[in-house]
Amino acid sequence: MKKYRVLLGFVLALVMAVILCPFYTDVQAAKKVKLNATEATVQLGDSYKLTLKNAEGTVKWVSKNKKIATVADNGLVTAVASGKVKVYAEYSGKKYVCTVTVPKVKLNKTEVELKDGKSFKLKLKGAKAVSYSSSDKAVATVSKKGTVKGFHLGDTIITVKDASGNEYKCYVTVVLDEEGHVHTPVFDFGYASTCTVPGLSNGTHCEVCGAVITAREPLPLKPHTYDENYTCTVCGAIDPNKPHEHTLVSDKKDPTCTEAGYTETVFCSTCGEVLMKKTELKALGHDFQGGVCTRCGVRCGVDIPHDLVTEKGKAPTCVEAGYTEAVYCKACGHIEKMSDIIPPLGHEYDGGAQCIRCTADLNGHVHNWVYEKRVEPTCQEPGMTEGRYCKDCGYREYERQFIKRVPHQYVNGKCKWCNKKEDE
């Protein structure tokens, strides 16, 4: 029985391994780091982006031969010259390589015998052509897309340039066509451009068959010629850079009793530019004389409410009278609530020698007390307790007492009062 249980456990483990193995493999494969290409062909002057998939850290890119191709920090490979070069991506201690091939650059034709009136297509292999030109347009012309067409007997050189500025040449000889026709060139006069009408360059065509030998090309417009009044002397156009002439408008607002105003402001009504900024002026407030404002005529307490102020009262003392609070208008002086007088309280001794409220003695003298603060003792000088005396009559309520000196108090080896060292 024990043997069967062991066998059953082994079978279950094997089944689980078979079930989980594909899942584990898929997870591992999903996280595998690899280049998006191990081989790449890049034409001269073009670029190709390499990426290291699933790389989460810093990737270092290296070209083994920068004369053939360079690689930027972001993996952009740029072809420089024909040949092969290995580009490495260094990541997490490993190298991943891509072989980059830059094909040789050449024209599909370098020598052509072209019949009069016929054409052929010139192509640049291994690089992108950016311009085509003919050394003798009367013999043969070439279009922007590389189509060469023969017009007259003779020789010409078609030059092709790539994005790197390299030149490639095709030697073309124009011969008679099947009918033996030879173009008879006729000069086509062009005309110069003006500032409003584009011109045309000179050209030629065949007097016999009418074929265009040298096409007339449009010429760019000439710039306007502006005078001191910013007007073109040819077409009358106005210079767009002519300075703007402001249309000035001024405005200001005087403050009133209740509304703020501002000083004069000057601005252009056309463009809105402010040439003189305004300054805000506060409202003046009412100027009441006899309850009527001298500026706007408003009546305090009739047209507007009173501006009431409450003046606090004063409590009476033993010898001085007090008074209750009063309420009045600070604008016109109207009294809303009259203040009442409170008689003095008089001294109250309660069987003692001093008034319990003001400390006056039985003769009515009120002491003018001077308070002496407590002085703390140090290791050099004794201290003093606090005291109080009348500076008018000299009476001292209680005498000050000396406080004994205190021992030295050492902090970091020195007394904090006298700086004496602890070991002296």
Side-chain angles (χ1 to χ4, degrees), residues 21 54 132 134 183 186 190 268 345 364 377 413:
C21 184
N54 301 317
Y132 297 87
S134 173
H183 290 305
V186 176
C268 175
L345 300 175

Side-chain angles (χ1 to χ4, degrees), residues 43-44 52-53 55 72 82 90 94 188 200 214 216 226-227 260 297 305 308 314 333 342 369 384 390:
Q43 287 192 348
L44 186 65
L52 193 61
K53 296 180 179 180
S82 60
E90 297 179 359
K94 293 183 180 180
D188 298 318
L200 278 177
T214 304
R216 293 194 294 176
Y226 298 109
D227 58 16
L308 297 177
K314 179 182 177 182
I342 303 174
W369 297 113
M384 293 285 288
C390 178

Side-chain angles (χ1 to χ4, degrees), residues 21-37:
C21 184
F23 176 78
Y24 179 78
T25 303
D26 289 344
V27 172
Q28 291 299 104
K31 295 183 178 180
K32 185 177 180 180
V33 177
K34 63 178 181 178
L35 278 171
N36 61 328

Side-chain angles (χ1 to χ4, degrees), residues 271-282:
C271 67
E273 181 181 349
V274 177
L275 283 81
M276 182 185 295
K277 292 184 178 181
K278 64 183 178 182
T279 301
E280 296 292 336
L281 300 174
K282 294 182 179 179

